Every structure is written in structure tokens, then in C-alpha cells.
Amino acid sequence: MFDKGQRPSETMAGGGFSLPKARPSGPPYFSRNQVAKALHQVAVLLELQGANVFRVRSYQNASRMLGSLTEDLGELVATGRLLEMKGIGKGLGSALTQVIAEGRWPSDWIELHASTPEGMIEMLGIPGLGPKRIKLMNQELGVDSVASLKEAAEAGKIAPMKGFGAKSQARMLDGIELLARFRARRRLDVGLMYGEAFETRVAQIDGVIKAQLAGSARRRKETIGDLDLVVAVEHEHHDAVATAILSLPGIADVKGAGDSKISLILDTSVFEEGFTVGHIDPNVLDAIGGEDYEQLESGGTIDAQVRLVTPQVFPFTLAYFTGSKEHNIAMRQRAIDRGLRLNEFGLIPEVKAGELKGMAAAKFSLDAIDEQSIYRHLDLEWVTPELREDTGEIVAAEQSALPQLIQTSEIKGAWHNHTTLSDGEASLEQMAETARKMGWNWLGIADHSPTLQVANGASAEDLLAQGETIKQYNATWADEGVDFRLFHGVESDILPGGKLDHPDEVLDTLDYTVASVHAISKWRARDEIENTEELIRCIDHPATTVLGHPTGRILQGRDGYEVDLFAVLEHMAEHNDEGRLKAVELNASPYRLDLDWRLCKHAKGLGVPVIINPDAHSLRGLADISYGVMAARKGWLEANDVLNTLTAEQLLAMI
Ligand code: DGT
Ligand code: CA
Ligand code: CA
Ligand code: ZN
């Protein structure tokens, strides 16, 4: 169906170095972005091969120019206007004409791609490392891959090179580690962004009846290995749809395409609206690569597996590739107990299937118009994808005892948010206005405390003044009959001995205190017993209402500190039993999702209330609540388990 022999995936660092396939629809055979990107890559490859700087620059300029054009490419070529453009020489002009009008890449570009060692392209993915220095290290040390670079850096061979030094050597080693972590899995928010953009593009192809994301993305895992997309297509449209998928924008490479399975690598050109990472809390940014993070992310890729099936088979394939593997195994066992064979093709009575395999056996499958029908055949209620982790959902589905999972529409507010008083981007007024627009009835402000100087922690004086402002707003809203109020809190650093960061008389003026660990390196250097004791001491402080981001983990960045959260939650449960509110935060930032969903069910069992907090540092940050809700759902939480569903009056009565 298409030519094999593309580069293997290991070469994909740096955002997919390959020349895309021409789209089948006729000229212009490539989009403006595709051509601009190809030109940019030629410039980089030339630089890697030590080409003349003027030549490199002419490709870079042409790339930039095409990238910023608004005119139609086909027309530019047809009218000959392309050849007249400043900065596009004769040679490049005719090459581009061939590309756009005939769909053929120039042979010297193809040759350039083929002759550059894959390892050198791979090295481009290391944050902060460009073609010039890669070329130098290749010449002087023979470094030609990430692995050989790592070896050279560890042996101290980079530092003595002119223009490099010990600092840059250490930075390279950090970058290599970051890249490896980054390539293995992606955060849920990033994975969903890619997945939804790709799903939308595939769904719009003629002949596609339905395209749906499966796998860990559908299950809302906190990180995603690869995307799995299941596509319903009638048999006669199968080939045309497969071809159309292969020429979609955003496909950096094709790893393989069989009869019903296509394996791809997507890059950021899958996004119609471009791609930005948005505002990131500096504490978080530091853990995920600092200034290099944006480069890593915009040069990032994600693998995707597409499965094309007929509409009759679709529900079975969707269920199978949604997983989890553990859930599938339990489901398959349940089928076996009923004399049925469950797989990605169907739910097939063994007596009929006999020796038959695969699709041949699937002819005898029980019908299923949707996933619900599959579960019904196995005497189960439909299990929402988030719960499919084999942690009790099948028994619950059998007994009609599945939880009524919390929904974003039930959220009335959140407590842990920042304003310009500490390190937030938006003012108190802007935050309140946005919360109201989101349909919330209350919003809590919890700016950082003085010890956290890097986050511009607010002094007691400023905090008290903020409290006065909040009182005035609340009074005004009450007068006007507006159903909205602000709660005033603080995010207090947890100081040595489990102490809080303000005197009691200041804390007494607040509605609540979110106590969080920020001295991460110190906490990570200590053992579990000490950390657990320290947290428990802090929870015992009468002013502590919420334990903020309980482990301090940053997904794809750093592990949390060692702590026995079971013990901490049990201790919190005792307080709650005696009528003192001690809630555990589920930090909704997709960089954190801390409390981990695996522990939510435990908190619920103990009766420790959970509060989902966006920890917003900007207006846009408030929307992160949705990731927190995803994690809460995955952790079996219902409206009753979560403080965010209470009215302001109910909350006031508790504090
Ligand atoms: P990921 O990609 O690592 O984030 O996690 P998943 O869950 O998306 O895993 P993936 O992409 O390897 O496979 C997608 C689903 O396919 C998986 O959740 C369940 C199903 N699956 C894959 N391999 C097996 C298997 O060996 N046995 C069973 N029963 N199911 C499998
Ligand atoms: Ca997957
Ligand atoms: Ca997969
Ligand atoms: Zn915070």
C-alpha cells in the first residue's frame, strides 16, 4: 500500500526528520507548513554536514518566508510569482516548483536525509544542543549518537573542548536524561491534545464512520505511552481511508502499515492552531527542564497506532484497545466462564468458533452495537473507561454498585489558587471574574507564604490587606444578591518541625490554610519515617485545613519525596472523625495530579475529604480543574467525596 523502509522510530527526536508523502488529491501536493518544515530540516541537515553558511541561510530564509505567507501555494507556483520572490534563488525556486506542482522532493534533499547519520539527528532532540556543536563533537570526538555523546560526557571528554566547558557538559547529561524520560511517556494533557487533534482529523476523512481514541488516553492515565485510535470504516473504503490517513498533516513518520493497523509518529504540526505550552508555575518548570522545556515540547512527538475495522467489529476493537490489559484479562476470563471467547474481533461462542481463529471465528460473534452491549452479554453494567484498571470495577459492575463518578459540572469552586500577590499572573478581581464565568459559586485564594521567596511569598501585612479586600467584595456581592463569594486562605510552606509560615494570630484571620512542602530537595534527601512524622505534625496544627500536593511529584520531572501517605491519611481520618476538617488536595495541575488517583479510593474509604485544586497561577490555570476531575474519577470519587461540590454555606459551616 505504501513504501516501507522508512527510518525506525529511534531517529525521531527533534520532531520527525523525514520528507512527508505527497497528498493524493493533486497540486499543491504539500501544505505550506510541510514545505516550510522540509526547508528548515534541509538547513539543519546541511549544517550538520558542515555546509557553507550561506547555503544554510538561504534554506532557513526560504523556510521562514514560506511559513509566514498567507497566499495559496498552488497559485504562487501557477502564476510564477514564487520565482520572483526575494530570497528565493533560481535553483531553490525551481526545486520548490517541482515539490508543489509535481509532488516530488528534489533528489539532493532526499540524499541529504539519507546520508546524515540517524544518531546525529537524534542528538538534535537534546535540549539546548544545536547542529553546530553536534558537528564539532562529531569531528573532534567521533560522537555520532545520543549514546556515544553520553559516554563522551561521562568520560569528561566534552568539557576540555574549546567553547564547551564543564557546565555545558553537565547540562548535556541533564538534557540526555530529560529527553529519555520525555520520549518514553507524555503527560495526560499533552497526550490528549495530540490524541484529540488527530482523532478530529481522521474523523473528517471521507468514508470514516467513526474515529475514537482508546488506550491509556481514554482511560485518563496520568501519562500516556502511545495513542491508540480505533476507526470504523466499511470494507470498500478501507484502502482509501488508510491512504488519506497517511497523508494527514502532523505525521512525522510511518513505522509500519499492515492491513488493518497503521503505526505512526505524530509531531506538533498535527495542531491546526499551532502549539504553545502556556504559563507554567516556575517551581514546576524548574523540574521539567526550565528554559529548555518549551523546545523539548515543541520538538516533541508521540507514537500512534490506528486500527481500521468494520462498524460491526468496532465496539469490540474499541473495548479491547481501551484496556487496560488487566481489565481485559479479567473480562476475557469472565467470557471463558460463559463458554465465550473475547478478543478485539468479537465475543464468540466457543462451540461455534471451534478451530477457527481471528476474523474467521468472529463471523460467529454475538452482536454488539456498542460497548454497553458487550458488557451486557457478560452480565455487567457498562464500566466507564477511567475505571478499567482491574481494581474492583468488574465486581462492582456485576452488583450494580459502580460509583456515580464526579463530573466537572458539579464543581462549585476550588481553594488553592494564586494571584499577583504572590506568583500568580492575574489579579484577585480577574480570578474571581473568571471563576464566575466558569459557573463557579465560590473561589478560594491561597497565595504563597513569606518563606517561599522564589514565588514572591506574601508578607503577613499584605496577606491581611488581601483579606480586607476579599471581605469588601463578599459584602458587595451579598448586597447585590450575587451568588458568589471568595474564601481567603494561604498556601503555607511547611517549615522544619511541621510548623506553618505565619503566626497563629494571622492564620486565625483566614478561612483555611493549605499546607504544602516546597523545600523539595531537603525533603527528598530525608527518609520516609522523618517525612511522614513531619507531615503529621503539620496536620496536627489546628490551622491546617488542607494538605497541598501531598508528595511533591512533578510528572515527567521528578519523583515526590518519600512519605507513607497511608499513615498520613489515616491520621487525617482521625481528625475528621473528631469533627476537625483535614482535607487532602488532589492538585489538578496536569504536571502534578497529586494525590495520585490510586490513593483517592483509599482516602474515600477512610472518610478523608478530597479537594480538587487547580493551583492556578493564571486565568487559564483555573481550567486545569478538568484534569483533576479526570484523576478523581479514575480514583472512584463521587460528588460526596469531594469538597468542591459543596455550596459556600456548607463549606463555611465546616471551617
Ligand atoms: P500506554 O500506551 O503504555 O500508556 O498504555 P495502554 O493501556 O494504552 O497500552 P497499549 O498502548 O500497549 O495497548 C492498548 C491496549 O491494548 C491496552 O490497554 C490493552 C490492550 N492490550 C495490549 N496488549 C495486550 C495484551 O497482551 N493482552 C491484553 N489482554 N490486552 C492487551
Ligand atoms: Ca497506548
Ligand atoms: Ca498502543
Ligand atoms: Zn500553589
Side-chain angles (χ1 to χ4, degrees), residues 215-216 224-228:
S216 49
I224 289 168
D226 68 356
L227 297 169
D228 304 273

